[in-house]
Amino acid sequence: MKTVYLPVVALVLMNSPAVAADNLEPVRYAIALHGGAGSDWLKLDTNEQADVKDSLRQAITLGKTILADGGTSLDAVEQVIRHLENDPIFNAGKGAVFNSAGGHELDASIMDGRDRACGAVAGVKTVKNPISLARLVMQETRHVLLSGDGADQFAKEQGVDLVDQQYFWTQRRYDAWQRVKQQQADDHKGTVGCVALDTHGNLAAGTSTGGLTNKLYGRIGDSPIVGAGTFADNKTCAVSCTGVGENFIRNAIAYDVSARMAYKQQPVEEAVREILTQTLDPSKNGQGGIIVVTHDGKITMQFNTGAMARASADSAGRLEVAMGE
Ligand code: ASP
């Protein structure tokens, strides 16, 4: 597949203080989500952009409510991602991109910051909500990653919602597949992810995607690879990534954010900025975005692509939804 590189727009940072401004109390809970990085978000017309923002707002409100009610970060991450998987605008669940064989193969992972428990599925074809299957792999098996037919079989045994391939079909993704096959612009934006800190002090992270448009049949990206697309450890942070997955795998990007905090005591916003400008070279297919919530409730959402659908909220009253810079 030939990828057309987009011009790199200035790296965008969105950070928040981890202390409520009015009372200087520590943040009790915090949550951030992304709906994929890519400047194509800005090519949507005004109504479409408003719809995307509505969906992001609903998703972050859902997650915030779970956390405000004392729910767990794992529940918040799973429910937020299910919401985004069910919205056809995003490249996860319904609306997943087409692979080179004209089908849909979905990847997802989830991680619990308490003990680094994690679960993932790759290349599933019949699962409506891959993030929930990833959680079942974490909780119901001794394994971390199930793939292909075995993962679909596991889904059947667990009684999760199954769908046929037609369910994932959308005109938008079909048209994008035709364009990519003709070696025009790559349009895979829309991977989704969520990171959260709950009132019990526990972090969780999750990511879900249909992958890259026209990816080779059987290709697995970073989203189901713990340490590449997803990572969480209560000692440091929870991370979810989006972008051209091969580079996130090569550089263990999600783990790198945590490692920089742990071993170098690097501030999170600086760690993510260096990764997006130095480790990942946007001019060499290193385009992407990273969202992080730290153990003390700091949120950073950065990208080197001109846009990233995103939202965040915390107990200090933060509530924001954005796509561009
Ligand atoms: N990281 C995903 C993958 O490579 C795609 C994306 O985030 O846009 O499968």
Side-chain angles (χ1 to χ4, degrees):
M1 182 184 76
K2 183 167 180 282
T3 302
V4 174
Y5 299 119
L6 298 165
V8 179
V9 182
L11 183 79
V12 173
L13 287 102
M14 293 195 60
N15 299 314
S16 76
V19 177
D22 47 350
N23 54 12
L24 297 182
E25 287 289 316
V27 167
R28 291 183 300 110
Y29 64 82
I31 184 163
L33 66 82
H34 69 77
S39 58
D40 282 356
W41 279 122
L42 303 177
K43 293 186 192 148
L44 298 179
D45 68 34
T46 320
N47 287 342
E48 289 172 321
Q49 289 198 19
D51 286 349
V52 174
K53 285 187 178 168
D54 271 355
S55 189
L56 297 172
R57 193 169 291 106
Q58 283 170 27
I60 204 70
T61 305
L62 176 66
K64 183 185 158 118
T65 305
I66 291 170
L67 296 174
D69 289 348
T72 66
S73 51
L74 272 178
D75 283 344
V77 164
E78 181 185 2
Q79 292 308 318
V80 164
I81 292 182
R82 282 178 69 97
H83 171 93
L84 298 169
E85 286 176 338
N86 292 341
D87 184 336
I89 192 74
F90 299 106
N91 172 20
K94 177 141 185 86
V97 298
F98 285 74
N99 65 16
S100 60
H104 309 271
E105 296 173 288
L106 290 81
D107 301 337
S109 63
I110 193 163
M111 188 161 185
D112 185 340
R114 283 179 298 189
D115 53 1
R116 296 197 183 184
C118 45
V121 293
V124 292
K125 299 189 187 75
T126 61
V127 179
K128 185 178 178 205
N129 293 110
I131 194 66
S132 295
L133 191 63
R135 185 166 179 181
L136 287 167
V137 171
M138 174 173 80
Q139 291 179 339
E140 304 298 327
T141 79
R142 63 187 193 282
H143 305 301
V144 164
L145 173 59
L146 290 183
S147 73
D149 291 345
D152 280 307
Q153 177 63 33
F154 176 66
K156 214 186 233 173
E157 288 162 11
Q158 290 294 317
V160 302
D161 286 343
L162 300 178
V163 290
D164 56 26
Q165 282 271 289
Q166 190 61 25
Y167 167 81
F168 300 111
W169 193 98
T170 57
Q171 189 69 51
R172 176 192 298 275
R173 297 299 181 189
Y174 181 80
D175 294 346
W177 182 44
Q178 301 309 311
R179 285 198 301 275
V180 171
K181 282 199 293 184
Q182 289 155 23
Q183 305 199 325
Q184 292 167 7
D186 192 354
D187 178 19
H188 60 259
K189 68 176 185 315
T191 289
V192 305
C194 182
V195 290
L197 170 72
D198 63 29
T199 53
H200 317 285
N202 296 319
L203 289 165
T207 311
S208 181
T209 190
L212 300 181
T213 305
N214 205 37
K215 65 185 180 182
L216 284 183
Y217 177 64
R219 178 264 190 190
I220 295 170
D222 61 315
S223 307
I225 307 295
V226 167
T230 302
F231 193 74
D233 185 330
N234 275 5
K235 290 193 204 66
T236 53
C237 61
V239 186
S240 173
C241 302
T242 176
V244 180
E246 283 69 10
N247 288 314
F248 286 74
I249 296 173
R250 283 184 191 107
N251 295 292
I253 294 295
Y255 178 71
D256 193 30
V257 178
S258 170
R260 283 165 179 264
M261 288 178 68
Y263 303 143
K264 238 180 141 183
Q265 281 76 53
Q266 197 170 23
V268 66
E269 54 281 354
E270 185 185 304
V272 175
R273 183 169 59 242
E274 279 188 13
I275 289 169
L276 284 170
T277 54
Q278 296 171 20
T279 310
L280 294 170
D281 183 345
S283 68
K284 291 191 184 137
N285 229 357
Q287 305 102 330
I290 300 173
I291 60 168
V292 187
V293 171
T294 63
H295 63 95
D296 54 353
K298 198 175 288 165
I299 295 171
T300 186
M301 303 186 283
Q302 300 182 39
F303 47 97
N304 60 17
T305 50
M308 178 169 74
R310 61 195 186 276
S312 61
D314 68 19
S315 59
R318 171 182 180 138
L319 181 60
E320 58 186 354
V321 175
M323 281 201 286
E325 297 166 13

